[in-house]
């Protein structure tokens, strides 16, 4: 059974940094894309960043470009999100997701493209 678990959230002042980690386990497949999504209170869940299995495909939503960096370690089945220069509008529950579709050079930007999700880790940025 595939399990996905996030960690690293917390409370930070505006301008500060956090590093989120996501560990996946139980996979019987390879070549899976992974992504970070977030959901703020009263808003829809939105993609933040994603990375393909190969690492040569990345995506960032415009509002985090230049501030957030996604990376992964396939040997550890891990995905990371380094978040710098945090803003109050980054406050949300952050979710890690895994796509078992088997495409090594693809990562999706839509929720429907992911079939395994973690429980989320809360990020709160105080202004």
């Amino acid at each position: 059974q595939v399990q996905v678990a996030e960690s690293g959230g917390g409370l930070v002042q505006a301008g500060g940094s956090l590093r989120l980690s996501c560990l996946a386990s139980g996979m019987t497949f390879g070549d899976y894309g992974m992504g970070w999504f977030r959901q703020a209170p009263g808003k829809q869940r939105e993609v933040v960043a994603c990375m393909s299995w190969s690492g040569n495909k990345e995506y960032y939503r415009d509002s985090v470009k230049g501030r957030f960096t996604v990376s992964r370690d396939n040997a550890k089945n891990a995905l990371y999100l380094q978040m710098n220069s945090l803003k109050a509008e980054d406050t949300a529950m952050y979710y890690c997701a895994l796509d078992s579709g088997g495409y090594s050079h693809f990562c999706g930007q839509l929720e429907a493209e992911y079939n395994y999700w973690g429980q989320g880790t809360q990020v709160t940025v105080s202004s």
Side-chain angles (χ1 to χ4, degrees):
Q1 182 178 355
V2 176
Q3 294 186 322
V4 178
E6 307 92 339
S7 62
L11 173 64
V12 64
Q13 289 188 331
S17 298
L18 283 174
R19 185 177 189 243
L20 304 185
S21 297
C22 171
L23 294 179
S25 61
M27 286 81 70
T28 59
F29 49 84
D31 293 9
Y32 51 89
M34 296 184 77
W36 288 101
F37 288 73
R38 67 185 181 188
Q39 186 169 22
K43 295 187 177 182
Q44 289 188 331
R45 190 155 54 182
E46 60 186 20
V47 65
V48 176
C50 69
M51 179 171 277
S52 63
W53 169 265
S54 65
N56 67 355
K57 166 68 175 180
E58 295 179 359
Y59 167 83
Y60 296 94
R61 70 179 303 105
D62 287 345
S63 60
V64 308
K65 286 179 180 177
R67 300 188 298 121
F68 291 11
T69 302
V70 65
S71 61
R72 65 186 291 170
D73 183 340
N74 290 341
K76 297 180 179 179
N77 297 322
L79 183 73
Y80 306 99
L81 186 68
Q82 178 67 42
M83 304 186 296
N84 298 329
S85 303
L86 282 162
K87 304 176 181 180
E89 50 263 43
D90 295 317
T91 294
M93 183 71 78
Y94 282 71
Y95 298 91
C96 177
L98 188 155
D99 163 24
S100 63
Y103 300 103
S104 61
H105 304 298
F106 173 81
C107 71
Q109 300 164 31
L110 303 176
E111 286 188 65
E113 292 172 307
Y114 294 87
N115 44 356
Y116 298 101
W117 292 81
Q119 294 298 308
T121 185
Q122 178 67 39
V123 172
T124 303
V125 183
S126 62
S127 57

